[in-house]
Amino acid sequence: DWVLLDELNLASQSVLEGLNAVLDHRSQIFLPELNKTIDCPPSFRVFGAQNPLGQGGGRKGLPKSFLNRFTKVHVDALGISDWNIIILNKFPNMERNFVENMVKLTSMVQCDVMERRLYG
């Protein structure tokens, strides 16, 4: 009974307002299309994820009153060595040199797009 709300800071205001009843003492959601209210079971958990505002794409700062309903956990981006380890463990038959070059290229593109804003 878990739900992950990814890219929460890209959600429309109407979606955020609809989530209020899920996150407060009512623990329920109204589906206007069905004209039905659904109660969340006691074991129901909501996980919200979002990327930093600086990543663009229409991201907006969420109201503090909304964010206070969550426990904030910051996760650092994975580094080059992390990606190499993950990929080599997941795909042990891939050549190490190929994986390292692939990760290096991906990292360069990420930097060019997200930090230097050269393209994309």
Side-chain angles (χ1 to χ4, degrees), residues 99-116:
V99 170
E100 290 174 351
N101 285 330
M102 181 176 61
V103 169
K104 185 177 177 183
L105 174 64
T106 303
S107 177
M108 288 169 44
V109 170
Q110 170 78 10
C111 179
D112 285 352
V113 172
M114 300 308 296
E115 294 172 25
R116 299 171 65 200

Side-chain angles (χ1 to χ4, degrees), residues 18-67:
L19 289 171
N20 277 329
V22 172
L23 299 172
D24 69 15
H25 66 281
R26 294 171 284 182
S27 192
Q28 58 185 207
I29 189 162
F30 177 69
L31 303 174
E33 297 83 4
L34 302 175
N35 195 30
K36 185 174 181 181
T37 299
I38 298 174
D39 293 321
C40 301
S43 60
F44 185 71
R45 298 292 179 263
V46 176
F47 295 86
Q50 66 181 33
N51 291 323
L53 296 176
Q55 287 192 354
R59 287 176 176 81
K60 57 192 170 295
L62 296 172
K64 190 170 186 133
S65 59
F66 186 82
L67 292 175

